[in-house]
Every structure is written in C-alpha cells, then in structure tokens.
Amino acid sequence: MQAFGIDTYVFLAGLLLISGVIAAKFSNRIGLPSLVFFILVGMVLGNDGLGIIYFDNAEAARMIGIFALIIILFEGGMQAKWGTIRSVALPSISLATAGVFITSAVVGYAAHLVFGVTILEGMLFGAIVGSTDAAAVFATLKERSVKAKMGATLEAESGTNDPMAVFLTVSFIELIQTPEADAVQLIPSFFWQMGIAVAAGLAIGKLASIFINRINLDSGGLYPIFTVSFALLTYASAEFVGASGFLAVYVSALVIGNSELTYRYSIFQFNEGFAWMAQIIMFVILGLLVFPAQLFTANIIWNGLLLSTILIFIARPAAVFLTTAFMGYQLKEKLFISWSGLRGAVPIILATFPVVADLENAQLFFNVVFFVVLTSALVQGSSISWVARKLDLTGPIKDIPHHSIELISLGKANAEMVQFKVDEDLEIVGRKLHEINFPDKANISAIVRDETLITPYGETEIQAGDFLYILVASKEEPALKKVLEKKKPSAKPVQKKYTPKK
C-alpha cells in the first residue's frame, strides 16, 4: 500500500462521494442498481485494482455495514406509509419469516451438493443469501412506476426479513462450532428476538415522536440529528436484551414517520441524504473487501452462476408461491415478487460472520455470496421495470416535487408550512380560493403547477395535480386538513396525501 498523506485520503473521500452521486443518477437512467457502481468503485480502488486502498478487515466491514443498514432501514421505514404497509402486513411477514426459511433451505441443500460440504455448512450458506436486501430494494424501487401494492410488499418484506437471516446465520454458526448444541432450544430465542424487537420499536418510536415535537431546540438543523439518534438508540437497546436491532429500527421508523412531526420536511430530507451516503460508503467498503483475483476464477464463477440460478428461478419462487398462497395475490403479482427478490449488502455482511468466526470454507462462501449478489443486482435489478411493464403491474409515476419552501423557526412561531398534493377526487378541485372556507389563520403562500410557481389570489382556481403551500397556525391544522381532504360526493375514499412540512 502506498503511503499517502491525510489530504490525499480526504480528496479521495470527496471524489468517492461525487462519483457516488453521479453513479446514482446514471444508474437510475439506465435502470441498473447504483449498488453495482459503488461496489465496482471499491473493487477498482482496492488491492487487485489500482492498489490505492488495501482493505481486508472483515470485522471493520461488518461494523460499517451494520451502522449503514441502521440508517438505510430507518430512512425506509420513515418513508413508508402505514396505510399501505398495513394492507400487505400479513404476506410481508410471511415472506420475511417462512419465505426466508424456505429460500435458505433450498439454496442450502444445493450448496451442500455443489460444494461437497456438510449439510450444516450448506444451510449456513443458504441462510446468508436467504433474505432480500433493504438497501437494494429501497434504492431500486425509488421513483420506479410500480404498483403501490407491489412496492409496499417488497419494501415491507425487505425491511423486516433481515432478522430472520441474521438469526439463521448465527444459529448455524453456533451449531457448526458446537455440535452438541440442541437446535430445538434456538426456537424460543427466535420468538424472543422478534417479539421484543417489535415491542421496543413501537415504544421507542412513540417516545421519539413525543420528544421531537415537544423539545424546543435553538436550531432547526438539530431536529434531524435528534431523530437519527433514536435509530441508533433503538438498535442498541434491542440488541442489549438479545432482540433484533434491525427489526426494532424499522418498526420505530414506521411509528415516527407516520406521526405528526415538527420540522418534518427537514428531518426527511436529512435522512434521505444520510441514507444515500451510508449506501455509497457501505457498498464501496464491501467492494474493497473482495479481491477480484480470487472472485473471478472459474470455480467461483461456475458455482456462483449455478447457485444464483437456483436462488432466482427455484428457491425464491417456491418461497413466494408457498408463503403467499390464499392471500389474494394474482399469478402475475407472485411472479413479479419472485423476480424482485434482490440480494445486496445484507448477504455480503452476513458472509463476513463465518470469516470472523474463522470457519472452514468461510472465504469460499464469502466470494460466492459476493458473486451471487452481483448476479442478482445485474440480472434482476436492471430488469424490474421491464418485468413490471410486461406483467402490467406498472403504476402512476410518483409525484415527487422538486421544489421546496423553507421558513425559519416555524416551531417557535407555532405555525406550520403545509405541502399538499391536490388529487382529482377532492372537492376543492375546480373551485376558486375565495369560494373555499379555509380557517382564518391559514394562508396559501404559493401554488406549484407543472413545475411553474403561481402567485395565488382570490380568483385563482385550484386544479388537480397542484401542490399547495399553506402557512397555518398549528392549532388550526386539523381544521385545514378537514377542508383539504374532503372528497367529492361521488368519489371513493383513497389514501390521504396530506403532508405537513416545515
């Protein structure tokens, strides 16, 4: 390794982040998951590439990966709408538990035959690749025009199936290291980990929401940091009592994200940016950890392709069709869910567990797992939108406004800046502002229509698709919400899109 000064590494860090942002934009245009580019950057900079950075510390990679996954899961949970998640809760939980077990068993038995290892070692490999990856799924589905039901199912599954994969991985390592251990005794541990994690997530999420709204900080920029601190506390608290920290983080994020929050807009924007940075750093580090000279050998490529094929075309579909039976999913929906079971950072991080435990065949497993993840990202990740179109499962393009209004110290002024998306089934559509009975202390500050800013006045007519920015006294917000969300007499109830913004 060459000896560089600190200024060189600072320069490299800045260059990596810039490259990550550009890669994310480029990958979104061509439909290829950005994690592929991030991993390739790490491989190019590593010892077998340009040789700029030498990194082979599996324990450090695991710690960085865990921290990054906490941030990514927290951001994903914050963005999830409880109304949508609730409608797919049962199939998502089934996929996240029984689905992971079935996938692990099928791939594990295949690994036992392919590698010629013991059945326990094969099942360890299956457990490592058994779960879909939240980072990969969240990033791939972001801004994709996939039906809400499909997106919610995949995001809820990927946000909650990591605990099952971690449990199986740790359990098989224990059984390999301690042959006299009783596998039946691990079952109560599983229910403890899941149950306590959910309880901890709900409790801390509720407390966090109360604290965020009641604390009076001197700077609005402190609220996002204050919020993220609860993600770290949630993970640590759950792990301290032997529960699943990842599941607890996702549950607490669901509670916080679906609560009324002060400085909500700033919190969400910070979390999104922080999650992107965590993804870039995590995947680059994982790219550095692998040595291409060891990865791209005939043995690894052949075994990796064989196990990837079994995972993608046999194990994942079997898990999906068995665990979602009689749950109201059509054949084409099950096919799409089967194809969208992306693997990403979690399997690579779990593959470091046997390395740290110094198990036989650990390095072989790590390299093959890495190859399987790359195959999944390249083949499945790049074709999700195409498969959705072929199965007629595309939804409306997500309305993500690229404009914002920032006001200072609204919390201290007891006022809210509300951002509201006008749907066509609302009663206010087609009405002029002076005809709408807004609360006395509510003022429409701006209307954005087709990316054009409109200065509102009494004769301005509200149209479907408008983004309204309304300054309202905090105590009048419920009354404003009632006026805005009132449906036309003939309209069917749909999911609300009211978002308070500060």
Side-chain angles (χ1 to χ4, degrees):
M1 179 178 177
Q2 302 180 37
F4 292 119
I6 185 65
D7 54 337
T8 303
Y9 288 106
V10 171
F11 174 80
L12 285 174
L15 189 61
L16 283 176
L17 291 177
I18 291 174
S19 301
V21 173
I22 295 173
K25 178 67 175 178
F26 180 72
S27 66
N28 190 48
R29 287 189 173 183
I30 66 174
L32 191 65
S34 54
L35 68 91
V36 174
F37 291 93
F38 302 153
I39 288 176
L40 290 177
V41 168
M43 293 171 68
V44 169
L45 293 177
N47 193 51
D48 282 352
L50 298 177
I52 296 175
I53 302 174
Y54 182 88
F55 183 79
D56 64 352
N57 191 327
E59 179 64 25
R62 185 176 70 162
M63 295 300 296
I64 294 171
I66 289 173
F67 182 86
L69 284 173
I70 293 170
I71 302 303
I72 294 166
L73 280 171
F74 190 70
E75 192 267 342
M78 289 275 288
Q79 296 284 355
K81 303 299 180 185
W82 172 241
T84 305
I85 294 295
R86 181 173 53 190
S87 64
V88 296
L90 182 59
S92 296
I93 293 173
S94 180
L95 284 166
T97 51
V100 172
F101 183 83
I102 294 171
T103 302
S104 301
V106 174
V107 177
Y109 187 72
H112 160 63
L113 298 177
V114 170
F115 295 130
V117 296
T118 66
I119 190 67
L120 279 180
E121 289 177 309
M123 290 301 162
L124 171 60
F125 181 90
I128 290 171
V129 298
S131 69
T132 59
D133 183 63
V137 172
F138 291 166
T140 303
L141 292 181
K142 200 167 278 187
E143 297 189 1
R144 294 287 200 279
S145 55
V146 176
K147 280 191 175 181
K149 179 182 178 182
M150 296 295 94
T153 301
L154 292 169
E155 290 186 1
E157 176 202 5
S158 64
T160 56
N161 68 3
D162 293 344
M164 184 65 172
V166 173
F167 170 78
L168 290 175
T169 300
V170 173
S171 297
F172 282 122
I173 290 176
E174 181 180 342
L175 291 173
I176 292 170
Q177 292 181 321
T178 314
E180 64 274 12
D182 186 1
V184 177
Q185 295 179 355
L186 298 174
I187 296 176
S189 173
F190 169 76
F191 288 102
W192 170 269
Q193 289 186 38
M194 302 301 112
I196 298 300
V198 171
L202 290 172
I204 297 177
K206 187 63 177 178
L207 286 174
S209 302
I210 295 173
F211 289 151
I212 292 168
N213 286 327
R214 292 189 178 181
I215 193 171
N216 187 8
L217 300 175
D218 294 332
S219 171
L222 292 174
Y223 284 89
I225 299 174
F226 187 60
T227 304
V228 169
S229 68
F230 283 102
L232 304 178
L233 288 174
T234 301
Y235 177 86
S237 299
E239 290 290 331
F240 281 150
V241 295
S244 170
F246 289 135
L247 181 58
V249 167
Y250 188 75
V251 172
S252 70
L254 274 176
V255 175
I256 297 171
N258 286 274
S259 303
E260 298 292 340
L261 298 176
T262 186
Y263 288 95
R264 183 183 185 87
Y265 178 76
S266 298
I267 291 171
F268 274 58
Q269 289 295 95
F270 176 87
N271 283 344
E272 184 178 13
F274 198 16
W276 269 112
M277 187 170 69
Q279 285 188 57
I280 294 172
I281 294 173
M282 175 177 63
F283 285 118
V284 169
I285 290 294
L286 294 177
L288 289 171
L289 189 62
V290 71
F291 287 77
Q294 299 176 10
L295 180 66
F296 298 112
T297 63
N299 182 51
I300 297 298
I301 292 174
W302 168 247
N303 290 333
L305 286 175
L306 180 57
L307 290 171
S308 293
T309 302
I310 293 172
L311 171 63
I312 296 173
F313 294 101
I314 300 176
R316 172 67 177 179
V320 171
F321 276 78
L322 288 173
T323 57
T324 60
F326 312 110
M327 292 189 183
Y329 284 85
Q330 301 175 8
L331 174 61
K332 63 181 182 180
E333 292 175 331
K334 293 180 181 179
L335 290 174
F336 180 74
I337 296 172
S338 299
W339 186 253
S340 304
L342 294 176
R343 268 60 188 175
V346 171
I348 300 177
I349 293 170
L350 290 181
T352 65
F353 283 37
V355 176
V356 174
D358 196 26
L359 295 186
E360 186 180 2
N361 298 313
Q363 192 60 48
L364 171 66
F365 283 5
F366 178 85
N367 288 330
V368 177
V369 167
F370 200 99
F371 192 88
V372 169
V373 168
L374 281 180
T375 305
S376 174
L378 288 169
V379 176
Q380 295 173 284
S382 61
S383 57
I384 281 183
S385 295
W386 180 82
V387 172
R389 289 194 299 271
K390 289 298 181 181
L391 294 175
D392 193 27
L393 292 174
T394 55
I397 297 176
K398 295 180 181 180
D399 292 305
I400 302 176
H402 299 288
H403 37 75
S404 62
I405 296 178
E406 296 283 3
L407 296 183
I408 299 174
S409 299
L410 277 177
K412 296 178 181 179
N414 293 319
E416 304 267 353
M417 177 59 74
V418 171
Q419 174 185 280
F420 183 77
K421 166 70 164 43
V422 179
D423 290 329
E424 59 183 8
D425 60 345
L426 298 178
E427 190 179 80
I428 61 175
V429 174
R431 298 180 63 185
K432 297 179 180 179
L433 292 181
H434 70 82
E435 298 173 344
I436 303 173
N437 187 27
F438 288 114
D440 292 337
K441 294 184 179 180
N443 179 51
I444 296 186
S445 303
I447 298 176
V448 177
R449 180 178 299 158
D450 297 326
E451 299 298 327
T452 301
L453 180 65
I454 297 174
T455 302
Y457 63 100
E459 293 296 318
T460 301
E461 183 179 292
I462 295 179
Q463 298 180 12
D466 286 351
F467 283 93
L468 309 182
Y469 292 85
I470 308 169
L471 182 62
V472 60
S474 298
K475 64 181 180 179
E476 296 290 345
E477 187 180 340
L480 173 65
K481 182 177 179 180
K482 186 175 181 180
V483 172
L484 293 173
E485 295 179 345
K486 188 175 182 180
K487 309 294 182 183
K488 294 178 182 177
S490 58
K492 296 180 180 180
V494 296
Q495 183 183 352
K496 298 176 180 179
K497 291 190 177 181
Y498 171 85
T499 304
K501 176 182 178 181
K502 283 187 171 182

